[in-house]
Amino acid sequence: MRFAVSLLSILGIASVVGTVLKQNEPYENYIIKFGQFWFGLFEQLGLYDVYHSSWFLVILLFLIVSTSLCVYRNGPLMIKEWRTFKEHASEKSLNAFSHQATFDMTSGLNVTKQQLMQFLQAKGFQYKSVVHADGGELIAAKAGTHQRWGYIFTHTAMVIILLGGVLDGNLPFKVQEMLGHKRIETLDIPESQVPEASRLSTSNPSFRANMTLPEGTSDHVAFVRVRDGYLVQELPFTVALKDFRIEHYATGQPKSFESDLVIIDPDLKEPITKTISVNHPLLYKGIAIYQSDFQDGGTALDFNVWNLFAPDNQPQPLAGAIFGKGTLGEGDDALTVEYNDFRKFNIINMSPDGKGKPHNVGPNITYKLRDNKGQAIEYVTYMQPMQIDGKHYFVAGMRQTVQDEFRYLRIPIDDELSINGFMNFRAIMLDAAKYPEIARKIARNSLDVGKDPAVVKQFENSVVQLLTIFAQGGYSQVAQIIEKNVPEKEREVVASTYIKMVRVAAYEAYNMGLAANKKPLLVSDAKTEALLRDSLNSFSDMFFYGSPYFLQLEQFEHKEASGLQLTKSPGQKWVYLGSVLLVLGIFSMMYIRERRIWLLLKPDANQVLFAMASNRKNLDFEQEFNVYREQLKGLLT
Amino acid sequence: MNSNSPDYQQKTLLQRLNWQDWLYALVLAAGAVFAYTRYAQYMDIYEVGFLFGATAVFSYLGWQWKRLSILVLGIGAVSVFSINLYQGEQARATQVFLLKYLISSQSAIMWMNVLFVLAMATYWFALYKRSEFTGKVATALTWSATLFGFVGLMVRWYESYLIAPDVGHIPISNLYEVFVLFCLITALLYLHYEQRLNTKQLGGFVLLVVNAAVGFILWYTFDRQAHNIQPLVPALQSYWMKIHVPANFVGYGAFSLAAMVASAYLLANKGVLASRLPELDVLDDLMYKSIAVGFAFFTIATILGAMWAAEAWGGYWSWDPKETWALIVWLNYAAWLHLRMVKGFRGPVLAWWALIGLIVTTFAFLGVNMFLSGLHSYGTL
Ligand code: HEM
């Protein structure tokens, strides 16, 4: 018994471990988190998959054995208690009861006996009477002894549930792994090359495996994730995905995920077609197929690639597909593009305080740019301009490692809602050949400069110089130069002059870009101010973008892949059976109250001895005893 | 000799029913039929089953506990009245006087909060003054709070369909809604025992835990705008939710009740308030009964959850943190019951255990959502 409670506690604590430490993460995450030493130790202890570790299994087995033994030992006792009326109780033992009373018998023995039996019947007691040698008679009664089955039901139920659970666990694989027949595959190789030792045949009694099917494809294997590797589970049929759909609420949140599946099996005259969705799986040949998640299935992508630092402003087309690769640039500077993910809908809460409603900001794409040393930077780009603080921007984020947050480049849109305005502006700002013209324009429009050619020349030179510096690294470059060359006291004044001058230059540059494309020019107003401020910020941020390439998604052809989960769990019906038993057992244990009554009729003394007992002494019993005592008293006297 | 009219005869339930009881059941049945004819298009076969099943369950409960039947009728009447005031337009919630200040879903829930706070204060005052009348006022306040809370939920249910028919769902789908449910169930369980044991001294204790939940609701409403109705994620679109969640909350409510009784027990055991509180035996018994009820419902809820998981996630048990913590809570109370029933433990040890059990339960209920991530998709803070 103490053992049982201890086991329950240990099971509880073991379970806690598995919830505190995130289970089944990729192993590198654990290494980063714990360091090599602790990582190794925790791995030995099986802490990354507690619920499938050997020691956890051992606890469960202990529980099964000890509970079985408990039922084996107490079960017969309980059945005996359930059956017996305990009609052999002696007067002496009845007298020793804590709940007893003696009444005078005013009627004859038989009449009294009749009355008492009616009483017991009315109260729902079953009874049995025995005549004693001295002429007395004992009526032994019981009610609610079905409670005793509660014990048997609950505890048998626990054994059945646990056995069912073990049946659905991966015990067969664990044994084969220990014997060296099977091992997990940790390499990312094509399924057909996975060796026999890492494959599970169709006769595997239970499994829980995953399958990712792009639209229009089919497969007859699924993957079982085990620790940091996987096993290939062969299926007795082929699953094909015709179509995958996501439906959305008006707010953009997903409403349903559905897959149109086709089951192809030589045993079938016709393939089965069925649509599955979350909460509505398909069952075939003992294998249940669930809609579990979805991902991209190789969406085709068309980009415009801008080289941010090249003064020519013609974007280059680039085509690719998710999970595919591409190349940007040439020679040693060439970068590999790895297209990782495409999302058609992105529900983001864009309000500054986070209290507004989330809404859909349209498609985005995640990709990595990898240099020839293998270093990669991850990027995310949104296809459509996003509204931030009332203005629209093209937004692209970058980060060096998965742990970092994305840092975003925000490029303001032009009047035609396109990126071209900024790109033209950027081209002119980078083109040293354009600086003298910008400088001349500023000088002409500026009242402060005056007409003295020498002063004008000097002014123009300083503008050209400033633009040259700005083109090398934006504001931060300018700040560095100031810090190097200007005494501390004057820095603020100089900086604000420079900023003002860059602003004015930007105005001219932007307009030159517009003029070259025969677009209407900017007018001096607050909106233009904001546009120029944003454009200059983007220009400055460009230098922190990590690569010269800005990929702008032009078009896509969406292809999705449905994430299916396939399970075979022969233990499930046992678990359910056990559950029903468990509920029955608990209710009978707690809501059926076992009570026993003995009525000893003593014709010699003309008395009736009333005794009552229960295996659970609680208040209900006290009350019931008091009521019965009063009622019997009324009945008999 | 009174064998001709034995007064010990117990009447069966059916014999005890009078015409009011039958009328009550009839009204419920009529309501269910009305709801069915009106909303059948939104229900699947299981939900139709639940609708009529609920009618039977509430008839039975109302027969057993008359005050509950009055509450049920009150909830029905006020909810229907409120829904009529909406006239199918959500905007009227803030335009019509009665809705805006009394019985729109949001206002009704606010009234519930206010009434629970008042009720707690009144219970403590009654305990302090040993005033029977004040105690009655406290009871009345608690009943009103549950009335408003349930009306709030019923109207919220209706409101969710006003947003869009496909958004509509039973309001037990996120943390905000289940907290309201928790307050209501805990209060009802308490009221039941209050009447059964004929003691009002425990109200202040039990309402402590209810008002902790009220505090959470207020914070969640004002700081996080959690009262806004959100559509259901696909995993929650299941009839299972309609039974799994309430069963769970009967469990949580009963465990909380037990813990608060345990705290009263511990105080009385130390002599604090002992003259005002019920006998230790009574407290001990109530603690046991409450845990027994909680345990039974929690078992059912966990099993229902497993069955739901088998349908939604592809396995009846995935060791998802919420699941695992439900198991831990269950094991905890299983151990508690073992000690009491098998070893015959009584007294302070078990009371302490029941109190600490509340911490474990709270973690399963709230902490998991806050600190651990998993498959359970409702209610992140
Ligand atoms: C899988 C682990 C176990 C679980 C989940 C479990 C659960 C339970 C539950 C729920 C109760 C009923 C409490 C009540 O009626 O309120 C109970 C009672 C009991 N358990 Fe266990 N139990 C387990 C293992 C054991 C073991 C190993 C023993 C053997 C010593 C045992 C002996 C008992 C006894 C003697 C009772 C009381 C029966 C009665 O008085 O009617 N249990 N158990």
Side-chain angles (χ1 to χ4, degrees), chain A residues 1 4 8 63 66-67 70 74 78 147 151 154-155 158 162 586 589-590 615-616, chain B residues 288 295 330 334 337-338 341-342:
Chain A
M1 175 56 226
L8 293 182
L63 213 55
S66 76
T67 312
C70 183
N74 291 333
M78 294 288 174
Q147 187 209 43
Y151 167 83
T154 26
H155 292 77
M158 282 318 298
L162 289 170
I586 288 177
M589 239 184 198
M590 294 196 282
N615 62 340
R616 303 266 162 78
Chain B
Y288 163 70
F295 190 74
W330 191 79
L337 288 167
H338 267 111
M341 307 183 94
V342 186

Side-chain angles (χ1 to χ4, degrees), chain A residues 249 255-259 274-283 288-293, chain B residues 44 46-47 232-242 304-315 377:
Chain A
Y249 292 109
K255 178 166 139 188
S256 74
F257 306 120
E258 290 177 10
S259 295
K274 181 157 183 225
T275 301
I276 63 165
S277 61
V278 181
N279 279 316
H280 300 279
L282 161 68
L283 189 69
I289 308 176
Y290 300 87
Q291 180 71 59
S292 77
D293 55 11
Chain B
D44 64 24
Y46 300 99
E47 287 163 327
L232 287 184
V233 298
L236 292 183
Q237 294 163 15
S238 167
Y239 57 88
W240 286 107
M241 185 173 80
K242 296 190 168 65
L304 290 175
M307 291 178 168
W308 183 3
E311 208 167 286
W313 298 338
S377 36

Side-chain angles (χ1 to χ4, degrees), chain A residues 15-16 19 22 51 56 123 168 208 249 253 255 279 290 565 567 576 586 590-591 616 618 620 631 635, chain B residues 8 166 230-232 235 237 285 289 293 308 310-312 314 316-319 324-325 328 341 372-373:
Chain A
S15 309
V16 172
T19 66
K22 232 173 156 198
Y51 310 113
F56 197 80
K123 299 295 184 193
D168 284 346
R208 205 157 163 184
Y249 292 109
Q253 284 127 307
K255 178 166 139 188
N279 279 316
Y290 300 87
Q565 183 166 148
T567 62
Y576 286 4
I586 288 177
M590 294 196 282
Y591 292 103
R616 303 266 162 78
N618 53 29
D620 296 328
Q631 287 176 346
L635 185 70
Chain B
Y8 57 76
D166 64 355
Q230 297 290 344
L232 287 184
Q237 294 163 15
D285 198 60
K289 284 204 175 101
V293 169
W308 183 3
E311 208 167 286
Y316 51 85
W317 199 262
S318 313
W319 295 104
T324 310
W325 274 92
I328 292 165
M341 307 183 94
L372 310 173
S373 59

